[in-house]
Amino acid sequence: MAVSIALAVSNRLQVIATAFLCLMAAHLVLASCTPEPAPYAARVGVVR
């Protein structure tokens, strides 16, 4: 019985870990893409 409980928990953790790794990979891919400046964007100097 303890083995079946351990396997059930392990399977749930595997799904959660897989989802977490997919989210991390997607974040890394999106973070590595540098957006091109929009034609309507203007750089504004910040005065201190």
Side-chain angles (χ1 to χ4, degrees):
M1 181 171 176
V3 172
S4 62
I5 292 173
L7 288 176
V9 170
S10 177
N11 286 339
R12 288 182 187 169
L13 289 178
Q14 285 178 357
V15 172
I16 293 170
T18 303
F20 185 72
L21 288 175
C22 287
L23 287 173
M24 295 263 312
H27 178 73
L28 287 174
V29 168
L30 291 175
S32 67
C33 299
T34 55
E36 295 187 16
Y40 54 83
R43 292 181 182 247
V44 178
V46 177
V47 179
R48 291 187 181 189

